[in-house]
Amino acid sequence: MTGVRQPQRRAFLAGGLVTTAALITGCSSKTDSTPAATPAAAASATPTTRPDSPWAAFSRLMDGNERWVDGSLQHPDRDPKRRELVSQEQAPYGVILSCIDSRVPPELLFDTGLGDLFVLRTGGGVVGPVVTGSVEYGPMTSGTPLIVVLGHQRCGAIKAAYEAMSDGKTLPGNLQAISDALRPAYKETVKTKRPDPVDAMTRIHVKQTSAALRSNKDLAPMVAKGDLAVVSAYYSLDTGKVEVLTGAPSA
């Protein structure tokens, strides 16, 4: 990643934001309901080396999703050895921006562990300045080579926003802010008649979000050099499979 980040900026950001990033990535560890690993599983959960390219990171994530789909989970990077290894510093290989939906936990559906992913979750996967800055944190301070914007089947936030905009209604409280952020996807969705407009809006939204991140003034140079990939993807609640929509890196 040399030539992409200035050392002074990296040191400033890492020093000033490391606590926030640690909170973002660490909260899910206490709520993981995965059963305790058997001795055989524990043996496979030893610390793994970090992928050093967008393709390597993407391949590891997709391999993990395949294990999630067929039930052959390895639970990597979840043993005491890994906890000790990342206790002082972290270098996740992926950033996942997804929805708050309780059925879509990125660490589980990609079969990852401690220190592997920066995870951000908002209603409908919408973004704003703080969210965008949090997405930028990994690539700009840790050389994280992959960002995945992950939408999912039957998204309640997108359904509520679609119905409210279709009916000309306002959602209560700050839920309206989510609807407002989804308006570009809604406008694109209603241009043509679609059999499942909510599902179409979900896919359009993650494509629009990933395109915006890919052209972001700070991230675009990394993408152009091949040091970073920004992928849009869609998760099926029915099958557990992640479908790649746009931006998959090449080997």
Side-chain angles (χ1 to χ4, degrees):
M1 298 298 292
T2 56
V4 176
R5 304 179 309 279
Q6 297 181 1
Q8 297 90 340
R9 185 176 187 186
R10 175 174 178 172
F12 173 78
L13 286 170
L17 297 179
V18 67
T19 301
T20 301
L23 287 173
I24 291 172
T25 56
C27 290
S28 63
S29 61
K30 291 186 179 181
T31 59
D32 188 346
S33 60
T34 304
T38 63
S44 67
T46 54
T48 54
T49 57
R50 170 183 163 168
D52 60 0
S53 71
W55 169 253
F58 175 74
S59 296
R60 181 170 295 181
L61 275 187
M62 298 309 290
D63 287 347
N65 180 244
E66 286 185 11
R67 296 193 299 271
W68 171 254
V69 171
D70 64 27
S72 58
L73 299 174
Q74 294 179 0
H75 308 299
D77 297 339
R78 297 189 189 185
D79 59 353
K81 192 174 180 180
R82 177 66 172 182
R83 185 186 68 234
E84 294 171 7
L85 182 66
V86 300
S87 63
Q88 298 301 317
E89 60 181 10
Q90 60 176 336
Y93 63 83
V95 179
I96 310 295
L97 170 61
S98 66
C99 182
I100 62 171
D101 195 293
S102 63
R103 301 164 293 179
V104 191
E107 296 90 343
L108 296 186
L109 62 90
F110 288 115
D111 193 23
T112 61
L114 289 174
D116 290 333
L117 301 175
F118 287 115
V119 176
L120 302 96
R121 303 179 68 178
T122 65
V126 302
V127 298
V130 173
V131 175
T132 300
S134 299
V135 171
E136 293 171 343
Y137 181 89
M140 293 176 66
T141 69
S142 303
T144 305
L146 180 68
I147 297 170
V148 176
V149 181
L150 184 66
H152 69 91
Q153 186 180 27
R154 304 188 193 100
C155 181
I158 290 181
K159 180 180 180 181
Y162 176 84
E163 292 177 347
M165 284 185 271
S166 294
D167 297 338
K169 295 181 179 179
T170 299
L171 293 175
N174 287 307
L175 294 177
Q176 183 58 36
I178 297 176
S179 183
D180 291 341
L182 290 167
R183 188 169 295 278
Y186 173 79
K187 289 182 177 179
E188 182 65 27
T189 301
V190 298
K191 285 182 179 179
T192 58
K193 188 172 182 179
R194 301 171 187 268
D196 187 340
V198 173
D199 193 75
M201 184 170 161
T202 299
R203 292 170 180 267
I204 290 170
H205 170 60
V206 294
K207 289 178 183 179
Q208 289 178 338
T209 302
S210 64
L213 291 171
R214 205 176 292 121
S215 60
N216 172 301
K217 67 181 180 65
D218 292 306
L219 300 179
M222 303 180 199
V223 174
K225 288 186 65 175
D227 293 330
L228 174 68
V230 183
V231 176
S232 66
Y234 175 93
Y235 177 69
S236 169
L237 295 176
D238 291 338
T239 67
K241 185 174 180 59
V242 171
E243 173 191 352
V244 177
L245 302 179
T246 61
S250 56

